[in-house]
Amino acid sequence: MGFLQELKQQRWDDHRYYHHNRINQSLHLFSACCFLVSYALVFESPVIAAFCGWVLAMTSRQVGHFFFEPKGFDAPNQVTHEYKEEIKVGYNLNRKVVLLTIWALIPIVLVINPSLFGWITPHDSTAAYIYNVSVLWIWLGMAAIAFRSIQLFFLSGITTGLAWATKILTDPFHDIWLYHKAPIRALKGDLYDPIVGESIDEHDPQHA
């Protein structure tokens, strides 16, 4: 597949395999809005950007995946949860646990070793500590994307890796387009997206 085809397929697979639940979709909508705030403020205010990106966006996003998304047999796609985890292009649930563990440990590590082994200027106040944590969280996010992209270069090819990195960076915009009606549908009791079709071209976003 070409780059655009690969990107479209990755988006469709992510949606049909991992976003059945309307509450999960609604949390992704909230997460997407928080990520856009983070994008807008990353250079002007790293602290607010990191808080929006990690504390609000990432936690709400993963709560949707871990607690609301079904883990049993996926009847619409005729695959098991284990199969989906095995073929996941990006971060599956196990990889997310590792990433979130590193994220949670960063504030603790900076208390024990304020200079992070000489890599950063040690904090001399609470505000400086919060700033250092925020900057490291932002670097962690960029490193996580770069690390998995490079892995994919070797595992599946450069096109797959570049498409995945593009997908991750543009997910906030795509999620808002795809899941903007999810909260209303969830409130009406329509808790599961019927997700059908073989490609994203067959999926009408009004059903999301």
Side-chain angles (χ1 to χ4, degrees):
M1 289 188 290
F3 173 80
L4 292 179
Q5 289 176 309
E6 177 71 31
L7 176 60
K8 182 180 290 187
Q9 191 61 51
Q10 286 188 24
R11 282 175 169 168
W12 171 238
D13 287 344
D14 185 54
H15 170 65
R16 69 183 178 123
Y17 284 150
Y18 286 96
H19 300 87
H20 292 235
N21 185 274
R22 301 287 191 191
I23 297 177
N24 183 30
Q25 293 179 357
S26 300
L27 288 170
H28 273 63
L29 176 63
F30 171 76
S31 171
C33 294
C34 292
F35 269 128
L36 291 185
V37 173
S38 182
Y39 284 5
L41 297 178
V42 66
F43 295 111
E44 182 177 345
S45 180
V47 172
I48 297 176
F51 179 82
C52 288
W54 277 101
V55 178
L56 296 180
M58 276 295 287
T59 54
S60 61
R61 200 174 192 86
Q62 303 318 320
V63 162
H65 281 302
F66 280 96
F67 298 105
F68 292 100
E69 199 62 27
K71 304 298 190 298
F73 185 76
D74 183 349
N77 294 297
Q78 288 296 296
V79 294
T80 64
H81 174 72
E82 291 72 22
Y83 172 79
K84 292 190 289 187
E85 287 290 279
E86 182 181 349
I87 66 168
K88 176 74 172 176
V89 174
Y91 282 82
N92 60 20
L93 295 185
N94 288 333
R95 296 187 195 110
K96 287 176 180 178
V97 168
V98 174
L99 179 61
L100 290 172
T101 299
I102 296 172
W103 165 69
L105 287 175
I106 284 177
I108 300 173
V109 171
L110 281 188
V111 170
I112 299 172
N113 192 322
S115 71
L116 198 64
F117 309 102
W119 290 357
I120 63 174
T121 302
H123 59 268
D124 55 6
S125 65
T126 300
Y129 168 75
I130 294 173
Y131 178 84
N132 284 350
V133 169
S134 300
V135 170
L136 288 177
W137 278 351
I138 292 171
W139 277 107
L140 175 62
M142 294 189 293
I145 295 173
F147 176 75
R148 185 57 180 168
S149 297
I150 293 171
Q151 273 191 325
L152 290 171
F153 291 166
F154 292 98
L155 294 174
S156 305
I158 293 178
T159 299
T160 299
L162 290 177
W164 178 78
T166 302
K167 174 191 171 298
I168 291 299
L169 292 172
T170 59
D171 264 350
F173 304 97
H174 188 252
D175 286 352
I176 290 173
W177 171 75
L178 201 58
Y179 302 134
H180 65 280
K181 293 184 179 180
I184 295 176
R185 292 183 178 275
L187 289 173
K188 290 180 178 179
D190 180 12
L191 293 181
Y192 290 96
D193 190 336
I195 305 176
V196 295
E198 294 299 325
S199 73
I200 197 169
D201 293 325
E202 301 175 24
H203 181 67
D204 185 345
Q206 72 177 348
H207 296 306

